[in-house]
Amino acid sequence: MRRLLLALGALLCAVSTAVTATPEIEVNVEKRNDTFVIDSSFEAGVPVRIAWRVLTDFDNMAKILHNLNASHILSRKGNTLHVRQEGTARFGLFSYTFNSEREIELEPRKRILARQIAGNTKAYTSEMEIAPSEHGTRFRYHAEMTLDSGIARLFGGPFIRHEIAEQFGWMIEEMERRQSP
């Protein structure tokens, strides 16, 4: 019995440590008519310069975000990019294949604005702000998205919440990987 309690205690410590080491990604999704309003905030223990490099590495984003099949910068004019992405998002038994072309405006190491130009979402705009924090970099994300299908609109809230948290988790992993020697 003592061995069992010691093993259980060790397991709880390991789980507690794993949970503590994982950054908390807050995602709030609210439905307003046919539009989903998404707000997310989180921190990563990396400097702003590394966070910025990952957030703007559009040509390699398919290697960072596991739900992307392709991501390419189609054109660049100053701090304005035209980016095309394709992929499949999965949530339980559901999947959603998407493609998008977005105009991305960069305010280096501070803010990224995105506006959908074409794709299978009716409308999409987003803003990602980053700033130095006591422990690395603080992120604040806001997006408004109108999906193209009735089923997606019906089940969209939990699906979107899952996708946003998962994508930001992958980005944090990449940031931490690039920071490691």
Side-chain angles (χ1 to χ4, degrees):
M1 182 67 151
R2 184 172 183 200
R3 283 185 189 174
L4 178 61
L5 289 174
L6 287 172
L8 183 57
L11 179 62
L12 288 175
C13 285
V15 169
S16 174
T17 302
V19 170
T20 304
T22 304
E24 184 176 331
I25 301 170
E26 296 178 27
V27 180
N28 181 50
V29 179
E30 181 182 326
K31 189 173 179 189
R32 296 183 191 156
N33 298 317
D34 285 342
T35 300
F36 290 95
V37 178
I38 304 128
D39 287 292
S40 180
S41 61
F42 56 96
E43 288 198 26
V46 300
V48 167
R49 66 181 167 71
I50 290 175
W52 184 259
R53 285 183 197 149
V54 171
L55 290 173
T56 59
D57 193 0
F58 295 107
D59 282 333
N60 291 304
M61 199 60 70
K63 295 175 185 171
I64 299 167
L65 301 181
H66 307 295
N67 64 348
L68 284 182
N69 301 325
S71 178
H72 304 288
I73 297 173
L74 301 175
S75 66
R76 177 188 302 259
K77 185 175 181 181
N79 286 331
T80 301
L81 312 174
H82 185 167
V83 175
R84 177 160 179 73
Q85 296 180 326
E86 299 172 2
T88 302
R90 290 175 174 51
F91 181 63
L93 299 174
F94 298 101
S95 66
Y96 179 75
T97 300
F98 60 90
N99 63 73
S100 70
E101 287 187 29
R102 294 181 183 158
E103 179 182 81
I104 312 278
E105 292 181 42
L106 306 175
E107 188 177 330
R109 295 189 181 185
K110 292 182 182 171
R111 186 165 70 147
I112 301 168
L113 297 171
R115 180 181 61 85
Q116 180 173 299
I117 298 169
N120 62 345
T121 299
K122 284 185 181 178
Y124 172 85
T125 59
S126 71
E127 176 181 17
M128 170 66 87
E129 292 181 339
I130 66 171
S133 72
E134 184 179 337
H135 302 290
T137 302
R138 183 182 69 249
F139 302 80
R140 190 190 66 73
Y141 175 78
H142 175 83
E144 296 189 13
M145 176 187 314
T146 305
L147 301 174
D148 65 340
S149 76
I151 292 174
R153 286 191 302 272
L154 183 62
F155 296 107
F159 187 83
I160 292 168
R161 186 175 297 107
H162 170 266
E163 281 299 299
I164 296 295
E166 188 172 61
Q167 288 179 16
F168 289 152
W170 291 329
M171 287 184 167
I172 291 169
E173 286 175 12
E174 178 65 13
M175 291 171 194
E176 290 171 347
R177 186 191 70 73
R178 290 186 188 190
Q179 178 175 272
S180 297

